[in-house]
Amino acid sequence: MSVQPNQQLPSGNYVNGMPYAPPSAPPMLRGSDSAQDSEGVPWARYIDALKRHFLVMIVIVAAGSALGIFAARRVQPVYDVQSTVWIAPGTSSQTGPIRPAQLLPATSWVELLRSYAIIDPVVRQLKLNIFYRQPADSIFFTAFESLPSLRPGAYLLKIESAGRYVLTGAKGAVVERGAVGDSIGRKIGFGWAPDARLLTPGRGLQFWVSTPRSTSAALLSSLRASLPDDGQFLTISLSGSDSNRTANTLNAWVEQFVVSSGDLKKRHLLEFKKILTTQLALAESQLRESEAQLERFRVSTITLPSGGGAAGVATQAQSDPTIAGYFQQKGTLGELKSERIALEQMVANAKGGPLDPQAFLMLPSILNNTPQLRAAIEELSSRQAALRTEQQFLTDANPRIKQLGETIRVMQYETIPRIAQNVILTLRAREQDLTSRVESQSLELRAIPARTIEDVRLARQVAASENLYGVLKARYEEVSLAEAETSPDLSVLDFAVPPPSPNSNDAPRFVLLAILASIGLAAGIALLHDRIDRRFRYPEQATHELGLTIAGTVPRLRANRGGEFQIDLMSQVVESFRTLRLAVRYDFPADGPVVLAVSSPSTGDGKSLVSSNLALAFASAGNRTLLIDGDVRRGGLHSTFDIAVTPGLVEYLSNGVAVEAVVKATSSENLFLLPRGTRAPRAPELLVSDKMGALIQLARQRFDVVIIDSPPFIAGVDAYALGAAAGNILVVLRQGVSDRKLAAAKFAVVDRLPIRFLGAVINGVPGGGMYRYYGTDYSQGGGPRDPAGSLATARGLVVSA
């Protein structure tokens, strides 16, 4: 080309001597949410993030798996053993002092099984509250007994060579010292005197002791008992980590359950027998008193004249129905009156409180003539006996105890007083009726001696006492017989057998959960890091966040150990720049030159690689191309094309060196290079001078394509000045390197300048992945392939075309 030295070029943009304004792209919203697409879940992005963090995920999963294996080794397997107990059915038709044959209702059997009165003896018998390291150490604790003052904790027993022992606590504090053969740990609640022959010198025995009650509570939490409604088979299951120990514990438990139920039934009968004994003694005393009163009366009246004596009156009464009926009614009236008065006095003495059931035994006639009252008193006695018996096994908070107590209270305060009031009302009614009858007949029988009536009354009282005594005597004998022949209501159908394998083993589950959790954690960390990562990685980050179109992509360029590039890789890179050349070419008018600057947000993004190879692509297509190294601070395109760095752009702008002296031809046809020149402190200020604009206008007239390799935006005003001079800028973003936040801030400044964004070139794209739609993988088929053209690299120009 022909350019005169120091030629002054007019300002402004010209094409073929005519003014030209580059078309401007419509403004885009950078980083706006409105730019986001609505394609759903970005699975491709997630998969790419997981691939990038694969090694970190492997480390996290390995650590989580190791932790799971460590935890699984400490998890013990669980064995379930089962036993079945048969419950004898009750017979409601049975008569006698105990009407139901079954001691407890069905719901109370499970409560009795789970009571501490059953499990505490089992814990003490099997020494379940003692734990030791080796199963063989159990021989030392065969005679161990837990005293009420037991102090739980961890202990160590050491046998010294002098035939003495030292018992220490968990922190090494000495608890007791003594001679081998003595009782050990008496002051901390140990009833323990192991065989001295087992305690050899130098032996150390480590063990743990807990209270029987706390051990019982732990066992209760692993016990399951089920009894169907109206069923007779109680199924009992127990879980534990030792199959033999668990089976032995359950067998001892059910045996203690059966034995305790038999003892409970015997105690119930014994308590009922005590109550009947008291009642029988009172009835016998009342009978003896009634017989004595009748005997004293007859002895005192046998010698009195009565018209034939008492015997004569009696004979007359037997022969005359009127007389017999009068005496009968008179005696009944007196008896009713005395009974009413006695019953009213009993109710008055109670003062609204409970009535004493034993006081009714002094009124045998009322009990014989009032079955409802007698049944209520008998029921109260039975309930009181049952309460005393069950209080020996169950606590006051047990629902069964509360139910019995409430039943007894209702009978004492409500049922029996109500029945007594009804009896009083009945006696009053009968007394009034008999009084009217007796008064009507008294005129006819006034001459009959009153002692005959008294004799009849006393005789009736003796008969009533004999009847009550006979009933109580019969029931007492029934209870005595039932006590002698009592059999338990329970029997064991099948005992627990140690299972050969655990029913559940959480160790594999722990390992699996640890692996799954670590995978989830690793994936979460990878996705979270990907979310907060500032570096550019995905196409939508350029289009949606930065508001740039993707003009092209450049594959990742890596040389082998010998510094050579594979032919396939070179072909892909060259083809990518041809695609970029096509995209850039159609951003400009067909009859005008292509003028653009190439920049990037920061160093290391590959702007020089893109600018030099894009220039090669235009030159190889027959376009006269000028490549300007505008990076006056650190430019290195002269090394790539093996051209002297001076004179260059700095000399042209500062010293007025001719254009012919600074524009130099390269080894590639149609490609010319304007190097940066000598570094100077004021070199960046030269880029905003009028001479820089004049240079661009001159280049428009002489070249088809002008590409300026400008410094990155972080370098200062250089990139903005060169972009404004060119009017167009192509931004290079490197996958995994470029800072998106920095790029967004720099692009916001560019938006306020007369610069048109041509798009973004994504550099360093890996094969496949999310950029596979932006590149090409179409190769020549058959035979060896040759590289498509020359390639400019940081190591120099690779000429292969």
Side-chain angles (χ1 to χ4, degrees):
M1 74 178 187
S2 175
V3 179
Q4 297 298 327
N6 300 326
Q7 180 179 1
Q8 299 294 326
L9 297 179
S11 61
N13 296 333
Y14 285 82
V15 176
N16 297 328
M18 298 297 293
Y20 165 69
S24 61
M28 306 186 70
L29 298 177
R30 308 187 191 280
S32 173
D33 292 338
S34 62
Q36 299 293 331
D37 60 6
S38 57
E39 298 179 356
V41 180
W43 294 111
R45 176 172 178 173
Y46 294 161
I47 294 174
D48 184 75
L50 297 179
K51 289 181 178 179
R52 285 189 290 103
H53 296 83
F54 182 73
L55 294 179
V56 177
M57 293 178 62
I58 289 295
V59 173
I60 295 177
V61 172
S65 302
L67 183 61
I69 294 174
F70 176 76
R73 290 180 177 178
R74 297 181 175 272
V75 175
Q76 297 180 341
V78 177
Y79 295 88
D80 291 338
V81 296
Q82 181 175 309
S83 178
T84 305
V85 176
W86 179 73
I87 303 175
T91 55
S92 58
S93 61
Q94 181 179 353
T95 60
I98 304 179
R99 280 167 286 179
Q102 197 178 90
L103 177 64
L104 298 175
T107 55
S108 296
W109 286 117
V110 177
E111 295 179 5
L112 179 61
L113 174 67
R114 299 180 65 86
S115 67
Y116 289 112
I118 303 298
I119 183 57
D120 281 350
V122 175
V123 172
R124 294 178 181 275
Q125 173 190 350
L126 300 181
K127 313 298 187 297
L128 299 179
N129 61 320
I130 306 172
F131 308 91
Y132 30 81
R133 290 189 178 277
Q134 302 296 332
D137 293 342
S138 60
I139 192 173
F140 294 95
F141 301 94
T142 54
F144 189 93
E145 181 182 357
S146 299
L147 302 180
S149 59
L150 179 66
R151 186 191 306 170
Y155 297 94
L156 176 62
L157 179 66
K158 294 182 179 180
I159 309 301
E160 298 177 344
S161 58
R164 298 184 63 82
Y165 70 85
V166 177
L167 182 64
T168 59
K171 297 182 179 180
V174 177
V175 177
E176 184 180 89
R177 296 178 182 270
V180 174
D182 295 342
S183 179
I184 299 177
R186 176 69 61 175
K187 64 179 182 180
I188 57 174
F190 292 0
W192 188 27
D195 191 348
R197 294 172 296 179
L198 300 175
L199 302 179
T200 58
R203 175 179 290 275
L205 181 61
Q206 188 175 8
F207 60 97
W208 297 263
V209 179
S210 63
T211 60
R213 180 54 56 89
S214 61
T215 305
S216 300
L219 286 174
L220 286 174
S221 63
S222 60
L223 178 74
R224 299 177 300 279
S226 61
L227 179 63
D229 297 338
D230 300 328
Q232 298 176 231
F233 297 97
L234 176 61
T235 303
I236 308 171
S237 301
L238 185 65
S239 301
S241 58
D242 190 325
S243 59
N244 293 323
R245 183 184 179 96
T246 306
N248 294 335
T249 302
L250 182 58
N251 290 333
W253 199 329
V254 296
E255 288 177 351
Q256 181 66 27
F257 181 44
V258 172
V259 172
S260 297
S261 67
D263 293 342
L264 183 62
K265 188 172 184 179
K266 289 181 180 180
R267 293 184 183 182
H268 175 70
L269 291 175
L270 181 60
E271 292 293 333
F272 196 25
K273 184 178 179 181
K274 291 180 180 179
I275 295 175
L276 286 177
T277 301
T278 304
Q279 295 178 351
L280 184 61
L282 290 175
E284 183 179 5
S285 175
Q286 180 65 23
L287 176 60
R288 297 292 180 263
E289 180 63 24
S290 299
E291 291 175 345
Q293 289 180 1
L294 180 59
E295 182 180 1
R296 288 195 299 270
F297 176 77
R298 288 182 176 179
V299 169
S300 62
T301 59
I302 193 63
T303 58
L304 297 177
S306 57
V313 177
T315 302
Q316 183 181 4
Q318 293 176 0
S319 61
D320 189 348
T322 303
I323 298 175
Y326 176 79
F327 284 131
Q328 181 73 21
Q329 292 178 1
K330 188 68 175 180
T332 302
L333 178 60
E335 184 178 356
L336 285 177
K337 186 174 182 180
S338 62
E339 291 176 352
R340 176 182 60 78
I341 295 173
L343 189 56
E344 289 179 345
Q345 185 64 34
M346 184 186 305
V347 174
N349 293 337
K351 298 180 180 181
L355 296 178
D356 185 9
Q358 307 297 339
F360 286 98
L361 298 177
M362 306 301 296
L363 303 173
S365 298
I366 293 180
L367 293 179
N368 291 332
N369 297 326
T370 312
Q372 186 178 7
L373 179 59
R374 184 176 61 187
I377 294 175
E378 292 177 356
E379 180 69 17
L380 176 61
S381 300
S382 177
R383 298 288 184 180
Q384 289 176 337
L387 178 61
R388 295 174 188 172
T389 303
E390 296 194 13
Q391 282 178 338
Q392 300 178 17
F393 284 84
L394 306 177
T395 63
D396 292 340
N398 188 275
R400 175 68 177 169
I401 298 298
K402 292 181 178 180
Q403 180 182 3
L404 286 175
E406 179 63 18
T407 303
I408 292 173
R409 188 195 66 79
V410 171
M411 295 186 68
Q412 287 180 335
Y413 285 86
E414 299 179 11
T415 305
I416 294 179
R418 183 176 63 252
I419 296 175
Q421 291 291 343
N422 293 336
V423 171
I424 292 175
L425 295 177
T426 303
L427 291 178
R428 288 176 179 173
R430 291 181 60 191
E431 183 179 347
Q432 292 177 1
D433 182 59
L434 286 177
T435 300
S436 61
R437 292 182 184 181
V438 169
E439 288 178 355
S440 64
Q441 296 178 4
S442 62
L443 297 176
E444 299 176 2
L445 304 177
R446 197 175 293 276
I448 299 176
R451 59 180 177 273
T452 303
I453 299 174
E454 181 67 16
D455 184 272
V456 173
R457 187 186 67 78
L458 293 175
R460 288 169 58 86
Q461 184 174 356
V462 170
S465 298
E466 288 178 349
N467 186 21
L468 178 60
Y469 178 77
V471 172
L472 293 177
K473 183 67 174 178
R475 295 195 175 183
Y476 179 81
E477 292 176 355
E478 289 180 6
V479 172
S480 300
L481 181 61
E483 181 185 7
E485 298 178 354
T486 297
S487 60
D489 291 334
L490 308 177
S491 61
V492 181
L493 286 185
D494 58 329
F495 287 93
V497 177
S501 60
N503 296 82
S504 63
N505 189 358
D506 292 335
R509 188 181 308 169
F510 264 95
V511 176
L512 179 60
L513 290 177
I515 294 176
L516 295 179
S518 58
I519 292 175
L521 177 62
I525 292 176
L527 297 178
L528 178 61
H529 182 266
D530 178 75
R531 176 64 61 183
I532 64 177
D533 190 6
R534 296 170 56 94
R535 289 174 291 182
F536 172 81
R537 295 191 181 277
Y538 306 108
E540 62 267 17
Q541 292 175 339
T543 57
H544 297 164
E545 296 183 21
L546 301 178
L548 299 175
T549 59
I550 298 179
T553 60
V554 179
R556 184 178 298 171
L557 188 61
R558 289 183 178 178
N560 57 21
R561 294 182 178 179
E564 298 178 353
F565 297 95
Q566 298 294 328
I567 295 179
D568 290 345
L569 179 59
M570 288 183 60
S571 300
Q572 293 178 11
V573 175
V574 171
E575 190 64 31
S576 67
F577 283 107
R578 288 177 177 175
T579 304
L580 177 61
R581 176 192 67 194
L582 182 64
V584 171
R585 171 70 267 184
Y586 283 98
D587 272 339
F588 292 86
D591 56 349
V594 174
V595 180
L596 61 95
V598 179
S599 184
S600 63
S602 182
T603 58
D605 294 328
K607 61 172 183 61
S608 298
L609 175 70
V610 173
S611 59
S612 58
N613 282 281
L614 181 59
L616 280 173
F618 274 109
S620 64
N623 298 298
R624 285 177 55 83
T625 304
L626 174 62
L627 177 60
I628 301 176
D629 191 352
D631 190 354
V632 295
R633 304 172 190 261
R634 300 173 57 182
L637 291 181
H638 59 282
S639 299
T640 301
F641 293 95
D642 195 16
I643 292 178
V645 68
T646 58
L649 180 61
V650 174
E651 284 74 15
Y652 172 81
L653 296 177
S654 61
N655 301 329
V657 178
V659 173
E660 291 81 356
V662 295
V663 176
K664 304 172 184 179
T666 65
S667 60
S668 297
E669 186 179 0
N670 296 325
L671 179 61
F672 299 86
L673 175 66
L674 176 56
R676 61 174 170 81
T678 306
R679 292 191 182 96
R682 296 183 62 254
E685 299 178 359
L686 299 175
L687 299 178
V688 297
S689 63
D690 293 338
K691 293 192 67 175
M692 186 65 201
L695 176 63
I696 297 300
Q697 295 304 323
L698 181 62
R700 286 178 179 274
Q701 298 173 6
R702 302 305 181 188
F703 293 94
D704 300 324
V705 178
V706 179
I707 299 176
I708 305 174
D709 180 16
S710 66
F713 287 111
I714 62 170
V717 72
D718 304 24
Y720 302 108
L722 293 176
N728 306 282
I729 193 167
L730 191 66
V731 179
V732 178
L733 300 175
R734 186 167 185 174
Q735 200 266 349
V737 176
S738 298
D739 191 324
R740 305 193 323 272
K741 304 299 182 181
L742 174 64
K746 299 301 180 181
F747 294 167
V749 178
V750 176
D751 286 339
R752 295 193 294 269
L753 299 176
I755 302 174
R756 180 176 65 135
F757 277 102
L758 299 179
V761 179
I762 313 301
N763 184 27
V765 175
M770 301 186 67
Y771 292 94
R772 63 184 181 276
Y773 303 111
Y774 295 91
T776 178
D777 192 24
Y778 190 78
S779 59
Q780 176 182 354
R785 289 176 291 175
D786 295 330
S790 301
L791 181 66
T793 68
R795 300 185 179 184
L797 182 64
V798 180
V799 180
S800 302

